[in-house]
Amino acid sequence: ANATIAGPHTVAAAARDVAATVAHACGPDAPTPSEPTALLADGTAPLVLGHSFGGKVGLAYAAARVEPPIRTWLFDSNPTITTGAGGVGEVLAILEDAARDQVYSTTKAAVAALVERGLQPATAQWLAMTTEKADDGGVRFSYDLDAVRALYDDHCQTDLLPEARALDDADRLGLVIAGKADVVPRDLGLKHTYVLAESGHNVHVDALPEL
């Protein structure tokens, strides 16, 4: 979450951003013009795909539309309340500890600080892509940690299972579960559920052909 973006930092607000983006990106007046018929009658995107956090945002977008998308796909995304999301809570806690009010001599030193606190090097390097120059020299993480925490907490506390079941009953939802992850319960009562037994959380990387 960028510090220049105003709140609220919620799943519902993110879904409204999706709606605004679809409206801006489609139609004859868009930066890259497209046919208005690419959308449904009320301007809804006909197909929505979301992975992890993005799946819940996509579901919130679909549920808020007068005419929902023809199909909304959730890729290893838990639509109901959760106490965590594939270890993201632990990663965020480490980032908060390492990043808040901290300045490092180099980006490499920032990565080392994350690794020392228990993150895998690849994850630490990915998070450190957001470092920026500090006013007094060195680098710091540019995350708005309060916004990130608010968004993560709202994601965990938002229950969209009733909306998921309504779309599922209308044959407008698909849920893909990563068999080697522990993110989505398998007993949600959604008939259009598919398990990729050998995939980790990043199903679009681990099991693209099957997907």
Side-chain angles (χ1 to χ4, degrees):
N2 190 297
T4 62
I5 299 176
H9 301 293
T10 64
V11 170
R16 291 193 292 271
D17 288 342
V18 171
T21 300
V22 170
H24 177 72
C26 298
D29 298 325
T32 303
S34 61
E35 291 294 329
T37 53
L39 302 179
L40 302 182
D42 70 341
T44 297
L47 181 64
V48 173
L49 303 91
H51 172 253
S52 196
F53 170 83
K56 187 169 276 188
V57 173
L59 178 56
Y61 166 81
R65 306 302 295 178
V66 174
E67 181 182 3
I70 296 170
R71 186 61 62 91
T72 297
W73 281 101
L74 311 182
F75 296 151
D76 213 40
S77 176
N78 190 348
T80 190
I81 295 172
T82 176
T83 56
V88 174
E90 291 83 357
V91 172
L92 179 53
I94 289 173
L95 177 63
E96 288 173 322
D97 181 61
R100 195 177 296 279
D101 301 323
Q102 296 289 332
V103 175
Y104 296 94
S105 58
T106 63
T107 298
K108 185 176 181 180
V111 171
L114 293 173
V115 173
E116 288 170 3
R117 288 166 170 81
L119 290 189
Q120 293 295 318
T123 302
Q125 290 166 2
W126 175 65
L127 290 172
M129 291 173 65
T130 65
T131 54
E132 62 183 12
K133 291 183 179 179
D135 293 338
D136 53 353
V139 300
R140 65 180 182 87
F141 290 95
S142 61
Y143 292 106
D144 181 342
L145 293 172
D146 293 333
V148 174
R149 169 56 67 180
L151 189 56
Y152 173 74
D153 288 347
D154 186 75
H155 168 266
C156 291
Q157 296 162 11
T158 297
D159 184 9
L160 294 177
L161 185 56
E163 290 82 353
R165 286 175 173 164
L167 290 172
D168 187 55
D169 289 342
D171 296 328
R172 293 197 173 206
L173 183 85
L175 171 64
V176 176
I177 296 176
K180 290 187 175 181
D182 188 24
V183 175
V184 185
R186 301 192 187 189
D187 57 352
L188 296 176
L190 301 174
K191 60 184 178 181
H192 297 95
T193 296
Y194 309 89
V195 178
L196 300 180
E198 298 303 315
S199 178
H201 179 55
N202 293 320
V203 294
H204 52 298
V205 176
D206 293 354
L208 185 58
E210 295 85 350
L211 195 61

